[in-house]
């Protein structure tokens, strides 16, 4: 079956703009998590959604938001982009809880100029 | 404050030898631990996990050891192969939690 897909794969934006990233989980998976990966910080948890509800949120400013649709697809939005938002954004899905093995997408590489 | 720490940013090993990757955690609420492997330009892939009720879990060449009293776990790869060269992330979660907490990763290089 198809894996986790993320679009777009690469994105270049300028400071102050906003961006929306999309994630389609594996069919049947209802939990979607988002992570930010930067060279110095590793993978940092952004938020997790299950059945259209945010169940958990990491320690990121309110400029980072997300949502999940009824088909489990998820989007994350970053408003008023800053240079420090340049990172690889990874989406992962699982049936229910992340302990049940999360499957990651290839990520969206965001560059903020 | 980092709850999951991988103190060695990199590790170099010769093919055929054992690779030992270490991970320490501070939150005693964690009760499930996972290792992920990541190649460049790809998302992390699940490797092996261990529940806090066990102290060892084995899957082929990969074995994870958990020392709860020391809040320490390690991943052993025997024998190491060049294809194992990747970044390895340790992650932890607690039963009621819905977030994986990752370490910063260790880059393993296996030379032939």
């Amino acid at each position: 079956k198809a894996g986790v897909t993320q679009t777009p794969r690469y994105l270049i934006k300028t400071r102050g703009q906003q961006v929306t990233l999309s994630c389609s989980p594996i069919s049947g998976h209802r939990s979607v998590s988002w992570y930010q990966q930067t060279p110095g910080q590793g993978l940092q948890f952004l938020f997790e959604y299950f059945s259209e509800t945010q169940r958990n949120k990491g320690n990121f400013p309110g400029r980072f938001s997300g949502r999940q649709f009824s088909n489990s697809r998820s989007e994350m939005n970053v408003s008023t982009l800053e240079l420090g938002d340049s990172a690889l954004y990874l989406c992962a899905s699982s049936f229910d809880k992340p302990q049940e093995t999360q499957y990651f997408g290839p990520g969206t590489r965001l560059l903020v100029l | 404050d980092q709850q999951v720490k991988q103190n060695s940013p990199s590790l170099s090993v010769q093919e055929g030898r054992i690779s030992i990757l270490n991970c320490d955690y501070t939150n005693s609420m964690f009760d499930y631990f996972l290792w992920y492997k990541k190649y460049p330009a790809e998302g992390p892939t699940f490797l092996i996990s261990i529940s806090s009720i066990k102290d060892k879990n084995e899957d082929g060449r990969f074995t994870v050891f958990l020392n709860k009293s020391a809040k320490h776990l390690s991943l052993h790869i025997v024998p190491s192969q060049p294809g194992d060269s990747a970044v390895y992330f340790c992650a932890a979660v607690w039963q009621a939690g819905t977030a994986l907490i990752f370490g910063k990763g260790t880059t393993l290089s296996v030379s032939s």
Side-chain angles (χ1 to χ4, degrees):
Chain A
K1 59 185 172 184
V4 178
T5 57
Q6 292 186 246
T7 55
R9 291 293 310 277
Y10 304 92
L11 207 48
I12 300 175
K13 292 285 188 178
T14 55
R15 279 182 301 174
Q17 286 187 310
Q18 74 156 15
V19 67
T20 299
L21 311 181
S22 180
C23 171
S24 292
I26 291 173
S27 177
H29 285 190
R30 295 163 69 188
S31 168
V32 174
S33 298
W34 288 89
Y35 297 87
Q36 180 195 65
Q37 185 187 8
T38 55
Q41 297 299 321
L43 274 78
Q44 292 188 286
F45 172 75
L46 280 156
F47 27 66
E48 189 258 355
Y49 287 88
F50 181 82
S51 291
E52 301 178 68
T53 300
Q54 186 182 87
R55 289 197 297 193
N56 206 340
K57 189 177 191 306
N59 190 24
F60 277 80
R63 300 185 297 106
F64 292 81
S65 63
R67 59 178 177 168
Q68 187 181 34
F69 302 95
S70 57
N71 62 358
S72 293
R73 190 178 70 84
S74 177
E75 289 181 347
M76 68 162 280
N77 184 278
V78 188
S79 62
T80 320
L81 284 166
E82 300 177 0
L83 296 180
D85 297 333
S86 295
L88 179 67
Y89 290 88
L90 291 158
C91 162
S93 74
S94 63
F95 280 110
D96 181 358
K97 291 192 173 180
Q99 296 93 314
E100 296 160 358
T101 303
Q102 285 186 322
Y103 294 86
F104 282 80
T108 294
R109 173 75 62 184
L110 172 65
L111 177 62
V112 182
L113 301 175
Chain B
D1 182 35
Q2 253 195 304
Q3 299 185 70
V4 177
K5 301 177 185 178
Q6 293 178 256
N7 292 319
S8 298
S10 62
L11 175 67
S12 294
V13 171
Q14 281 193 316
E15 182 179 8
R17 299 289 188 106
I18 184 171
S19 294
I20 300 176
L21 296 97
N22 294 303
C23 178
D24 297 297
Y25 60 97
T26 58
N27 191 335
S28 56
M29 295 282 290
F30 289 141
D31 57 8
Y32 199 80
F33 304 88
L34 307 93
W35 284 93
Y36 280 81
K37 179 168 76 171
K38 186 179 186 298
Y39 293 117
E42 295 182 11
T45 54
F46 169 75
L47 201 54
I48 192 168
S49 63
I50 188 166
S51 163
S52 61
I53 62 173
K54 294 185 175 182
D55 53 20
K56 177 183 172 181
N57 189 26
E58 210 168 339
D59 184 3
R61 296 185 297 114
F62 302 91
T63 303
V64 56
F65 295 92
L66 175 62
N67 183 332
K68 289 187 289 294
S69 60
K71 293 192 177 68
H72 176 83
L73 62 155
S74 61
L75 174 68
H76 292 209
I77 306 173
V78 184
S80 301
Q81 300 173 353
D84 295 331
S85 297
V87 180
Y88 289 78
F89 291 98
C90 167
V93 65
W94 59 91
Q95 186 60 30
T98 56
L100 287 184
I101 308 300
F102 282 84
K104 293 187 179 182
T106 296
T107 300
L108 173 65
S109 299
V110 181
S111 57
S112 54

